[in-house]
Amino acid sequence: MSESMIKLLIAALGQTVLMVCVSTLFASLLGLILGVILHITRPGQILPLPRVQKILEMLINAGRSIPFIILMVAIIPFTRLIAGSSIGTVAAIVPLTVAAIPFMARLVEGVLMEIPPGLMDAAQAMGLQPFQVITKILLPEALPGLLNSVTITMITLVNYSAMAGAIGGGGLGDIGIRYGYQRFDGAVMLATVLILILLVQLIQSAGHYLVKKVDHR
Amino acid sequence: MIKLNGIYKRYHSGPNTIAALDNINLHVPVGKIMGIVGPSGAGKSTLIRMVNLLERPDQGSIIVDGMNLLHLNRRDLAESRRKIGMIFQQFHLLSSRTVFENIALPLELIGFSKKEIKQRVEELLQLVGLADRAMAYPAELSGGQKQRVGIARALAPSPKVLLCDEATSALDPKTTHSILNLIQEINRKLGLTILLITHEMDVIKTICDEVAILDQGKLVERGKVTSIFSNATTAVARNFINATFHLKIPEEYATRMKPTPCDQSYPLVKLGFTGNTVDKPLISEASRLFNIDISILSADVEYAGGIKFGYLLAELFGTQHQCKAAQQFFIQNNIQLEVLGYVRIND
Ligand SMILES: Nc1ncnc2c1ncn2[C@@H]1O[C@H](COP(=O)(O)OP(=O)(O)OP(=O)(O)O)[C@@H](O)[C@H]1O
Ligand SMILES: [Mg+2]
């Protein structure tokens, strides 16, 4: 492989990492908020709001049913509004984030559902207000599961980011398609695949390590 | 301290309506330990959860420390709940917090400073005997230790009332005893009013001053523990009381026992001591007065609340006439007497 090819791969890795990290950050935060709202507004939970719950439920289902490649194209006007352009690595972060929010929200909801309901009794009995229940009980108790959700979301975003090449987002996926697929360069294809595998492995191990560190159950 | 008046609670499951609580009136005086016992499904959990409004009644009023809980808004209710500690069968500790941090949680809510929290938590750890486990996580503790943390957490904001929802039902007998001792100690030291529910009469016998018996959503009996043990009238109550005594006729006797007297046979009697029984050494007195021998096969007698109660299985050796007279004597002294049968002498 030529030196310029290696440089190209390194640059592509940088773009992938940038897209994945930034979109993971935003999607995790927003997904966490939506997931918590989805959970606490259920009947029998600390802030039952059936209407809000239903609407949120519908939005999340809708968001999750659109294939990423379609979503990316469909929200181009929105992307342009946020990122100032609809093409490039930074612009790709917008659809990646939008796609990952409902995904993350669902994972968060599942994690929160695992918290023993008895803890809510204990919280009420101690006189915690709803907001205190979230900050002092739900989030700390769910932390291992939440970190696991972030890990899964991040890996999914590595996957999605490979498609971002379609709107000029660059990254390893883009290199793989352009050199490996369109120009039949087997060595480049292999290199991108290997780098992607290593990247996912790294994310998974780091996630695993963090989960273990905060899990006292 | 706790007053429940005319509490009704119904649950609807499909077309059926279950009256979980049916006109409950209950008063727990300051500083007393009141126990509620009843069979599964009687409504015990529903009842105790009324006292801090984890469950709302359909009807009735709930007054704790002079405060009508149903009239409070959410903020004031949360405030009032800090005066009502609660412990649970499954402990419900936060797995993400250490023992220290679990106990500190209610204090954070009140806005104690770091220093005040440290001082109060250490005090509580001392009280429940866990000073050396402060930095452990709940997963590293035994069931008994977890319940001690639960108790310390409940006591942290200096409540006036402690609610115990089957607090010892997940523990082995020895641990149960140590937790009950702790609850009693707290009652004596801090003057806390305690309401506990259980399905074990043994728990009631060990620490309660007063007991109420709940059956199918109704309080069917209530009174001082000693008087319930001696005077219970309902079948549910009697069953619970009898379940605390573990008397069996030895197998070998059972095979030799006949329902009616015959030659060379002696009566096997069950003697029941209750609160009404005259407090005298009745067995040796009977032996002396009627010139009979009394052989005790098995006994389960306990001393609770200043009164002896329980059962004895004994054989009476003497002529038929002497034995009859002795039985009369026992009955006169308010021993509950039951002739279980007549045992033939071994030949
Ligand atoms: N949330 C609920 N929905 C419907 N029915 C309920 C609910 N909670 C309790 N019940 C019913 O109310 C009755 C009383 O229940 P409760 O849990 O208070 O009984 P318990 O005396 O605590 O029994 P156990 O000793 O088994 O815990 C039962 O028939 C139960 O099925
Ligand atoms: Mg129960």
Side-chain angles (χ1 to χ4, degrees):
Chain A
M1 216 183 296
S2 68
E3 199 172 311
S4 66
M5 197 64 235
I6 292 174
K7 270 199 184 130
L8 207 62
L9 278 172
I10 291 175
L13 174 64
Q15 291 164 342
T16 295
V17 169
L18 178 71
M19 283 188 286
V20 169
C21 285
V22 177
S23 55
T24 300
L25 182 72
F26 287 121
S28 295
L29 278 178
L30 295 170
L32 179 67
I33 293 170
L34 284 188
V36 167
I37 297 175
L38 196 60
H39 179 73
I40 63 171
T41 52
R42 261 183 209 294
Q45 288 298 339
I46 51 174
L47 207 68
L49 294 169
R51 279 261 174 81
V52 175
Q53 213 274 339
K54 280 241 170 64
I55 293 172
L56 211 53
E57 184 81 16
M58 255 166 47
L59 282 175
I60 286 171
N61 282 342
R64 291 203 56 201
S65 51
I66 304 170
F68 180 65
I69 194 96
I70 308 277
L71 178 94
M72 203 161 49
V73 179
I75 64 166
I76 280 178
F78 177 70
T79 303
R80 199 173 286 138
L81 189 76
I82 301 275
S85 150
S86 63
I87 294 174
T89 306
V90 175
I93 289 171
V94 177
L96 285 172
T97 304
V98 170
I101 288 171
F103 183 75
M104 177 72 185
R106 266 287 175 246
L107 292 178
V108 169
E109 191 210 9
V111 169
L112 294 177
M113 263 195 291
E114 292 293 308
I115 294 177
L119 275 185
M120 295 300 112
D121 284 347
Q124 274 202 321
M126 281 188 275
L128 272 79
Q129 301 279 356
F131 189 70
Q132 294 171 319
V133 174
I134 297 172
T135 56
K136 295 208 177 269
I137 305 224
L138 286 181
L139 296 183
E141 283 297 294
L143 188 58
L146 294 177
L147 285 177
N148 197 35
S149 305
V150 172
T151 308
I152 297 172
T153 302
M154 197 165 184
I155 289 172
T156 303
L157 281 169
V158 171
N159 182 355
Y160 286 177
S161 76
M163 287 180 248
I167 56 165
L172 288 165
D174 186 36
I175 298 282
I177 299 273
R178 277 198 286 140
Y179 292 81
Y181 178 65
Q182 286 163 1
R183 299 190 197 169
F184 306 109
D185 188 336
V188 173
M189 183 61 106
L190 189 66
T192 49
V193 169
L194 283 180
I195 295 173
L196 282 171
I197 290 175
L198 282 177
L199 186 61
V200 169
Q201 208 74 42
L202 185 75
I203 295 169
Q204 186 62 63
S205 307
H208 206 76
Y209 172 80
L210 287 176
V211 169
K212 263 200 133 154
K213 205 162 166 173
V214 300
D215 193 356
H216 301 290
R217 285 173 296 187
Chain B
M1 178 58 72
I2 304 173
K3 278 202 183 109
L4 303 183
N5 296 316
I7 301 285
Y8 286 86
K9 178 76 183 181
R10 294 172 201 86
Y11 287 114
H12 306 278
S13 63
N16 302 328
T17 303
I18 301 159
L21 294 178
D22 190 355
N23 191 17
I24 299 288
N25 294 289
L26 187 72
H27 175 211
V28 188
V30 178
K32 293 283 184 215
I33 305 184
M34 155 85 85
I36 292 174
V37 69
S40 184
K44 304 184 293 295
S45 299
T46 310
L47 175 55
I48 200 161
R49 293 164 62 86
M50 291 282 156
V51 181
N52 57 358
L53 285 197
L54 289 184
E55 213 84 59
R56 282 181 174 267
D58 299 333
Q59 206 179 314
S61 72
I62 297 160
I63 295 164
V64 179
D65 194 22
M67 199 84 83
N68 191 332
L69 297 189
L70 289 165
H71 290 174
L72 301 177
N73 62 27
R74 194 161 72 192
R75 184 166 293 276
D76 291 341
L77 178 60
E79 195 84 24
S80 288
R81 277 171 169 158
R82 289 173 196 158
K83 278 197 238 144
I84 310 173
M86 187 170 198
I87 57 175
F88 305 86
Q89 179 172 2
Q90 299 302 337
F91 324 120
H92 300 331
L93 303 177
L94 298 190
S95 66
S96 56
R97 285 179 169 233
T98 61
V99 166
F100 184 101
E101 292 162 346
N102 263 286
I103 302 172
L105 175 60
L107 301 171
E108 293 165 17
L109 304 179
I110 312 176
F112 269 40
S113 72
K114 274 232 163 68
K115 212 173 122 214
E116 290 168 319
I117 289 181
K118 188 162 156 42
Q119 192 187 346
R120 178 83 180 123
V121 172
E122 274 164 8
E123 221 172 271
L124 289 158
L125 283 168
Q126 211 71 47
L127 176 70
V128 300
L130 279 180
D132 52 335
R133 304 293 281 150
M135 289 307 143
Y137 283 93
E140 302 158 10
L141 301 180
S142 71
Q145 290 172 326
K146 284 183 201 165
Q147 196 56 289
R148 284 169 188 273
V149 179
I151 290 171
R153 180 177 70 178
L155 295 181
S158 307
K160 297 191 168 172
V161 170
L162 181 65
L163 306 176
C164 311
D165 185 352
E166 299 269 11
T168 57
S169 300
L171 305 174
D172 63 56
K174 197 166 149 243
T175 316
T176 293
H177 227 81
S178 75
I179 293 294
L180 292 179
N181 279 340
L182 177 60
I183 292 176
Q184 193 161 41
E185 187 188 326
I186 288 162
N187 167 256
R188 302 237 168 96
K189 257 195 200 159
L190 311 176
L192 229 64
T193 307
I194 298 178
L195 179 64
L196 65 86
I197 62 163
T198 176
H199 60 272
E200 291 171 310
M201 200 66 181
D202 279 311
V203 170
I204 303 277
K205 203 163 66 179
T206 315
I207 61 166
C208 291
D209 302 305
E210 293 186 29
V211 59
I213 292 169
L214 189 67
D215 187 30
Q216 298 182 10
K218 291 193 179 71
L219 282 181
V220 292
E221 260 184 85
R222 123 193 43 174
K224 292 222 179 334
V225 171
T226 47
S227 71
I228 289 281
F229 265 83
S230 47
N231 303 321
T233 51
T234 59
V236 200
R238 285 246 68 92
N239 281 340
F240 269 106
I241 291 164
N242 286 337
T244 66
F245 296 104
H246 318 281
L247 272 194
K248 266 175 77 179
I249 303 172
E251 193 60 36
E252 194 241 344
Y253 276 80
T255 57
R256 286 192 282 131
M257 210 162 74
K258 292 264 154 52
T260 50
C262 62
D263 255 10
Q264 295 285 301
S265 76
Y266 296 99
L268 177 65
V269 296
K270 182 174 168 187
L271 304 176
F273 293 82
T274 70
N276 296 330
T277 305
V278 177
D279 190 17
K280 277 196 296 185
L282 295 169
I283 303 285
S284 53
E285 213 171 300
S287 176
R288 224 173 324 117
L289 281 174
F290 307 101
N291 197 24
I292 59 170
D293 287 316
I294 300 176
S295 160
I296 294 172
L297 289 186
S298 165
D300 191 350
V301 181
E302 297 203 37
Y303 193 75
I307 286 182
K308 215 168 30 194
F309 46 72
Y311 293 92
L312 284 186
L313 289 187
E315 274 182 298
L316 308 180
F317 296 106
T319 65
Q320 243 188 53
H321 182 74
Q322 288 168 327
C323 292
K324 272 265 145 48
Q327 290 175 24
Q328 275 308 315
F329 170 78
F330 288 140
I331 292 168
Q332 274 156 20
N333 284 285
N334 290 329
I335 287 181
Q336 291 173 355
L337 183 133
E338 187 184 346
V339 179
L340 300 173
Y342 296 85
V343 181
R344 273 172 64 99
I345 284 284
N346 267 330
D347 30 32

